[in-house]
């Protein structure tokens, strides 16, 4: 019997996978999809949700968000939470690009203010913020400094004059998970990380100059400091080779750990360890260190974006009010307290290709935003809109305070390069008034907008199901890619 025969629609845009599909399931599988996306979803991604629901200590729901697609072990666009007492942690539930995330920087500029200088801004941003596979940053760290980056994240960057003290308040975890431990990160991972700090990377990572096109909730937009017509800058980047190496190192360790601890898993890619073991604790400390690297990475790029705008616009970044709206992590597993059966329970929440969407009142949300819930940043694809939403009580109740992270791929990069030509896409974007600067036409081809789900649909489902609510739409004016 197909897994689809065991899925029930429980309300508009919400489906559940029955435990009768696999008697080893310890939680219900839940999918947040509209009908078209449900019909088009890979069977493999549905089965991955059911597999995750079989892991020890999993709580309430194994969740597929509106941008779910097939991934390594866990689906991308997936969330699962594990009880601290009898649960597990799995690197496959975080992914290779640890703390890949998005940051939004506001300005008090308008499209008219930058119209004559947009070409110069794009050229200088492309030059000042290195991008591409294996790209190297503008500074060189020594071994002690990379340890400080891994242990202190964005705090290290700000203390070394790469940013403003107030920046830290508007980063998830204030840009530093205190439990990080650089001694748990391999020398190979550190060597990969040393030359790459402050660089964008490749793949779907980007830097965009955008304008706020529409406001859907004026009260919340005002709290976030967003106005229609405002120029903003969005960064999408992660932990580069350092995070990838941390994941690879600990996947090998977990492949032995789940056997040593006699854990029955339906897929070897779900390799994991009980949370009270040294394997789990070492992975968490190393993964947090890689997450800190990613926050430092985005902080350094923020500094160079401000410097670039200062050089081109002839004003200081302070004069242009270039503060951070927020910074969210996509690939991470963190200790959080959530209500289960009316009781506060400490859980390790895995978000893989998912955005934290904490609702009003949570102490983790910056005080300025606490009455409305945290900003949720959902980037679109090259040439399409991105969105700002806010976290909700519904998300706290249903998805461990989580929602989608982006459009979600429907074509592999290899297939996209076969189907599309970078030159044609660049021409199409230019005709829409969007400037693009990339390391090669192939980079543009593999990120063709048609290779992704419709981000408008992903955001609409998040909004209609209440797991995040729309605040503003931002549209690209220029994009740089690695």
């Amino acid at each position: 019997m197909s897994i689809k025969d065991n899925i029930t629609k429980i309300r508009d845009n919400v489906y559940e996978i029955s435990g009768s599909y696999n008697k080893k399931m310890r939680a219900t599988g839940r999918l947040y999809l509209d009908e078209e996306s449900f019909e088009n979803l890979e069977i493999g991604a549905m089965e991955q949700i059911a597999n995750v629901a079989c892991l020890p200590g999993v709580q309430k729901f194994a969740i597929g968000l509106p941008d779910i697609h097939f991934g390594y072990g866990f689906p991308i666009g997936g969330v699962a939470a594990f009880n601290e007492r009898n649960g597990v942690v799995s690197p496959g539930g975080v992914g290779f690009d640890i703390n890949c995330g998005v940051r939004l920087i506001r300005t008090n500029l308008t499209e008219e203010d930058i119209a004559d200088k947009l070409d110069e801004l794009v050229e200088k941003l492309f030059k000042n913020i290195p991008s591409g596979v294996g790209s190297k940053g503008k500074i060189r760290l020594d071994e002690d400094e990379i340890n400080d980056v891994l242990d202190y994240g964005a705090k290290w960057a700000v203390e070394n004059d790469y940013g403003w003290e107030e920046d830290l308040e508007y980063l998830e975890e204030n840009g530093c998970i205190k439990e990080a431990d650089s001694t748990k990160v391999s020398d190979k991972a550190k060597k990969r990380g040393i030359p790459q700090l402050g660089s964008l990377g490749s793949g779907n990572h980007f830097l965009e100059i955008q304008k706020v096109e529409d406001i859907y909730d004026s009260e919340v937009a005002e709290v976030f400091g967003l106005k229609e017509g405002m120029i903003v800058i969005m960064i999408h980047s992660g932990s580069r080779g350092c995070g990838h190496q941390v994941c690879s190192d600990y996947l090998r360790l977990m492949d032995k750990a789940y056997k040593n601890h006699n854990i029955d898993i339906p897929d070897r890619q779900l390799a994991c360890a009980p949370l009270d073991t040294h394997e789990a604790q070492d992975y968490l400390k190393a993964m947090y260190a890689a997450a800190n690297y990613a926050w430092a990475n985005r902080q350094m790029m923020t500094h160079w974006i401000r410097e670039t705008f200062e050089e081109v616009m002839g004003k200081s970044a302070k004069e242009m009010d270039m503060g951070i709206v927020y910074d969210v992590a996509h690939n991470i597993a963190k200790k959080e307290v959530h209500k289960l059966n009316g009781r506060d329970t400490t859980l390790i929440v895995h978000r893989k290709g998912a955005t934290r969407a904490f609702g009003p009142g949570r102490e983790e949300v910056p005080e300025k935003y606490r009455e409305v819930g945290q900003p949720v940043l959902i980037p679109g694809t090259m040439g399409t809109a991105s969105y700002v939403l806010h976290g909700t009580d519904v998300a706290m109740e249903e998805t461990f305070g989580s929602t989608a992270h982006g459009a979600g791929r429907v074509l592999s990069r290899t297939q996209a390069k076969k189907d599309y030509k970078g030159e044609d896409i660049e021409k199409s974007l230019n005709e829409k008034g969007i400037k693009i600067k990339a390391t090669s036409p192939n980079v543009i081809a593999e990120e063709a907008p048609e290779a992704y789900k419709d981000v408008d649909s992903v955001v609409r489902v998040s909004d209609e199901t209440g797991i995040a609510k729309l605040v503003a739409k931002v549209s690209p004016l220029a994009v740089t890619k690695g």
Side-chain angles (χ1 to χ4, degrees), residues 136-210:
K136 297 177 180 177
K138 294 163 65 176
I139 65 164
R140 291 292 179 270
L141 304 173
D142 61 30
E143 191 167 326
D144 286 340
E145 286 175 315
I146 187 65
N147 289 336
D148 287 343
V149 169
L150 292 164
D151 288 332
Y152 301 110
K155 184 180 176 189
W156 172 88
V158 169
E159 287 179 349
N160 284 274
D161 297 327
Y162 296 104
W164 305 338
E165 185 68 31
E166 60 263 37
D167 291 344
L168 301 178
E169 186 176 352
Y170 298 102
L171 315 182
E172 188 171 322
E173 299 292 332
N174 301 120
C176 173
I177 297 183
K178 295 179 178 61
E179 291 80 5
D181 184 348
S182 57
T183 67
K184 304 301 180 185
V185 176
S186 69
D187 288 344
K188 189 174 182 181
K190 292 176 185 177
K191 284 178 181 172
R192 292 183 69 177
I194 283 173
Q196 294 184 334
L197 188 67
S199 61
L200 193 61
S202 59
N204 62 350
H205 295 152
F206 65 78
L207 190 163
E208 279 189 359
I209 299 173
Q210 306 166 331

Side-chain angles (χ1 to χ4, degrees), residues 106-115 209-215 221 225-233 472-475 477:
R106 68 172 179 272
T107 75
N108 57 16
L109 303 171
T110 65
E111 187 174 4
E112 186 179 4
D113 292 331
I114 67 167
I209 299 173
Q210 306 166 331
K211 71 171 180 179
V212 179
E213 186 173 313
D214 283 317
I215 297 286
L226 298 174
K227 296 178 183 175
E228 193 169 326
M230 171 187 279
I231 295 296
V232 294
I233 302 106
K473 178 181 182 179
V474 293
S475 298
L477 300 175

Side-chain angles (χ1 to χ4, degrees), residues 99 103 151-156 167-180 287-288 291-292 295-296 298 326-338 347 349 351 356 358 362-366 374:
N99 190 7
R103 177 175 297 200
D151 288 332
Y152 301 110
K155 184 180 176 189
W156 172 88
D167 291 344
L168 301 178
E169 186 176 352
Y170 298 102
L171 315 182
E172 188 171 322
E173 299 292 332
N174 301 120
C176 173
I177 297 183
K178 295 179 178 61
E179 291 80 5
M287 184 262 289
Y288 293 154
N292 285 351
W295 275 308
R298 291 196 285 277
Y326 207 50
D327 179 301
V328 293
H330 287 163
N331 297 341
I332 205 159
K334 292 192 299 183
K335 185 184 292 189
E336 296 171 359
V337 175
H338 290 268
L347 305 171
V349 180
R351 294 191 181 91
R356 197 185 74 176
F358 276 7
R362 290 287 299 214
E363 64 177 14
E364 296 93 336
V365 177
Q374 73 164 82

Side-chain angles (χ1 to χ4, degrees), residues 143-381:
E143 191 167 326
D144 286 340
E145 286 175 315
I146 187 65
N147 289 336
D148 287 343
V149 169
L150 292 164
D151 288 332
Y152 301 110
K155 184 180 176 189
W156 172 88
V158 169
E159 287 179 349
N160 284 274
D161 297 327
Y162 296 104
W164 305 338
E165 185 68 31
E166 60 263 37
D167 291 344
L168 301 178
E169 186 176 352
Y170 298 102
L171 315 182
E172 188 171 322
E173 299 292 332
N174 301 120
C176 173
I177 297 183
K178 295 179 178 61
E179 291 80 5
D181 184 348
S182 57
T183 67
K184 304 301 180 185
V185 176
S186 69
D187 288 344
K188 189 174 182 181
K190 292 176 185 177
K191 284 178 181 172
R192 292 183 69 177
I194 283 173
Q196 294 184 334
L197 188 67
S199 61
L200 193 61
S202 59
N204 62 350
H205 295 152
F206 65 78
L207 190 163
E208 279 189 359
I209 299 173
Q210 306 166 331
K211 71 171 180 179
V212 179
E213 186 173 313
D214 283 317
I215 297 286
Y216 304 107
D217 187 326
S218 57
E219 290 183 13
V220 178
E222 186 176 354
V223 173
F224 291 169
L226 298 174
K227 296 178 183 175
E228 193 169 326
M230 171 187 279
I231 295 296
V232 294
I233 302 106
M234 183 174 280
I235 306 169
H236 181 209
S237 188
S239 51
R240 308 291 332 273
C242 178
H244 196 284
Q245 190 63 48
V246 166
C247 182
S248 298
D249 291 341
Y250 280 90
L251 276 173
R252 285 193 288 276
L253 182 77
M254 293 295 180
D255 197 47
K256 296 177 183 173
Y258 85 85
K259 297 168 188 167
N260 291 339
H261 296 289
N262 299 313
I263 301 174
D264 180 20
I265 55 175
D267 178 354
R268 189 176 173 185
Q269 292 184 357
L270 298 174
C272 55
L275 284 161
D276 60 356
T277 63
H278 73 87
E279 294 99 329
Q281 292 304 310
D282 285 356
Y283 167 67
L284 285 169
K285 291 171 183 175
M287 184 262 289
Y288 293 154
N292 285 351
Y293 179 100
W295 275 308
N297 194 37
R298 291 196 285 277
Q299 186 61 39
M300 313 242 344
M301 287 187 274
T302 298
H303 175 71
W304 289 320
I305 287 167
R306 286 171 175 157
E307 281 194 342
T308 302
F309 269 73
E310 286 177 334
E311 180 186 351
V312 175
M313 300 304 296
K315 297 179 180 178
S316 74
K318 290 279 187 183
E319 285 178 296
M320 290 180 280
D321 192 26
M322 296 183 72
I324 294 170
V325 177
Y326 207 50
D327 179 301
V328 293
H330 287 163
N331 297 341
I332 205 159
K334 292 192 299 183
K335 185 184 292 189
E336 296 171 359
V337 175
H338 290 268
K339 287 267 186 217
L340 284 179
N341 300 317
R343 299 174 62 180
D344 286 342
T345 308
T346 302
L347 305 171
I348 302 297
V349 180
H350 292 54
R351 294 191 181 91
K352 181 179 181 181
T355 306
R356 197 185 74 176
F358 276 7
R362 290 287 299 214
E363 64 177 14
E364 296 93 336
V365 177
E367 188 173 355
K368 181 180 174 185
Y369 303 150
R370 205 165 290 163
E371 283 192 13
V372 299
Q374 73 164 82
V376 174
L377 311 174
I378 300 186
T381 60

